[in-house]
Amino acid sequence: MTDIEDSVPTDNGGTAAPDLFEGMTAISAVLDPDIRAFNDRRVLTVYVDKDRTEKKARELAFLKHKAQEQSFSIVPVPRADLDALTSGTTHGGIAAACSDRTLPLLADSLGAIRPDGFYVLLDGIEDPYNFGYTIRSLYAAGADGVILPPRNWMGCAGLVARSSAGTSEKMPLYVCEPAGAAAAFKARGYRVVCAGIRDSVDLWEADLSRPLLLVIGGEKRGISRAVMDAADLTVRIGYSEKGGFRGSLSSAASAAVLAFEVLRQNG
C-alpha cells in the first residue's frame, strides 16, 4: 500500500482523521509501554518516506520490533505524499496515524492522585504550541499530572506532542472544570497555589511544599475568579526592574519558573 489518502481517513471525506504524530520523538512516546497505566492511545499506521529507508534503518528496526508487539503496519510512501499528510516538513521522514486518547474525568480518578503529589491545573491557555511547551516544562520538573478544563488542546494531540517533545503523552492528564478541580484537591489535603499578582507573595518567599496543586493561567484570560478565590496562596514571579518590563511571561515560561521552584523546595 503506497497511497496515503487511501489509508488515512481525512476530514474532507466526512470521516474524523486519526491523530497524526510527526517525527520519532512524538511517535516513540506513544509506543512507550510505561504510559499504559494512564494512556490508551495506540499507533495504527506508521508512514515512512520510501526514499529514506536506508538512512532511517535504525528507526525502522525499532518500529518493526514495536509493530510486532503492538500490531500496527509500516507503510513506505513518497515524500510528497508524506509532506501533504503532515503539517510541514519537520517530520524527519516518519509520521504515524494514532487512535484517540481517553482523558479521564478527575472525579473518576481521585484514587490515582498521590497523597503527597505535585499537580498542575492549566486554566485558559489559548495557543496549542504554548500548551505543549507548558506541559514539556511541567514534565521536566517532575509534575505528577495535569488537570485540564473540558475545552482543551488535546484535540490537536499530534501538534501538542510535537511541541511538548512527546511529554504530553507521558503525562497523566485529567479533565475537570477548574473550580471543581481546586475543590477536589483541597478536600484531599492539598494546598492550592495560583500564579498571579493581586494579593500575592514573591515566589522566592513562598512555601511550595507538597501536596500542592499549582494553578497556571493563560496570558490573556488568566485564572478564573472562582479558582483565585479558592486559592490558599497567590505567588508572583518578580521581574528585573531594568527596562521597566510590565508585561507577562508566556505560560510555558511561567510554568518552568514555578515548577522548578517546586522541585527545588521538595527536592
Side-chain angles (χ1 to χ4, degrees):
M1 179 168 56
T2 60
D3 189 343
I4 291 180
E5 293 184 354
D6 286 343
S7 57
V8 179
T10 66
D11 291 334
N12 291 336
T15 303
D19 289 319
L20 192 74
F21 284 60
E22 303 178 21
M24 278 301 298
T25 298
I27 296 169
S28 296
V30 182
L31 295 173
D32 187 345
D34 292 339
I35 70 173
R36 291 299 163 232
F38 56 85
N39 187 340
D40 61 352
R41 194 188 306 281
R42 294 292 187 273
V43 171
L44 303 176
T45 307
V46 172
Y47 302 99
V48 181
D49 182 348
K50 68 178 184 179
D51 295 324
R52 299 183 64 181
T53 54
E54 291 186 6
K55 293 182 179 180
K56 296 294 179 181
R58 185 174 180 179
E59 291 93 334
L60 281 173
F62 169 78
L63 290 169
K64 288 177 181 178
H65 174 71
K66 288 295 183 180
Q68 292 179 339
E69 288 183 344
Q70 300 186 22
S71 300
F72 59 85
S73 58
I74 300 174
V75 181
V77 296
R79 172 61 183 262
D81 289 351
L82 193 58
D83 288 346
L85 180 64
T86 58
S87 59
T89 58
T90 59
H91 47 69
I94 300 176
C98 300
S99 66
D100 288 338
R101 173 181 176 179
T102 304
L103 296 183
L105 297 177
L106 178 63
D108 297 333
S109 309
L110 292 175
I113 301 301
R114 292 168 53 99
D116 61 344
F118 166 41
Y119 292 82
V120 181
L121 169 62
L122 299 181
D123 187 10
I125 298 179
E126 298 183 352
D127 177 79
Y129 291 98
N130 203 14
F131 178 73
Y133 301 148
T134 299
I135 292 182
R136 184 175 182 171
S137 296
L138 298 175
Y139 185 87
D144 293 304
V146 172
I147 294 80
L148 307 174
R151 294 184 62 185
N152 57 67
W153 285 110
M154 287 308 292
C156 305
L159 187 156
V160 173
R162 186 173 61 178
S163 59
S164 71
T167 59
S168 58
E169 294 302 302
K170 296 182 177 183
M171 179 74 82
L173 303 175
Y174 308 94
V175 174
C176 188
E177 290 289 353
F185 274 89
K186 292 191 76 168
R188 296 183 69 82
Y190 273 65
R191 289 185 307 124
V192 176
V193 176
C194 290
I197 299 298
R198 183 177 298 178
D199 299 324
S200 63
V201 300
D202 190 280
L203 173 63
W204 315 121
E205 300 175 359
D207 175 11
L208 300 179
S209 56
R210 297 177 178 231
L212 181 72
L213 176 68
L214 176 65
V215 186
I216 300 173
E219 296 96 304
K220 292 182 179 180
R221 291 191 291 133
I223 300 169
S224 64
R225 173 49 56 187
V227 175
M228 293 294 293
D229 290 343
D232 298 293
L233 182 68
T234 301
V235 298
R236 66 180 181 277
I237 300 172
Y239 300 153
S240 168
E241 295 182 0
K242 182 178 180 180
F245 180 66
R246 294 292 181 269
S248 62
L249 297 178
S250 68
S251 299
S254 297
V257 174
L258 293 161
F260 276 94
E261 178 59 13
V262 174
L263 176 63
R264 186 192 71 80
Q265 290 193 23
N266 293 275

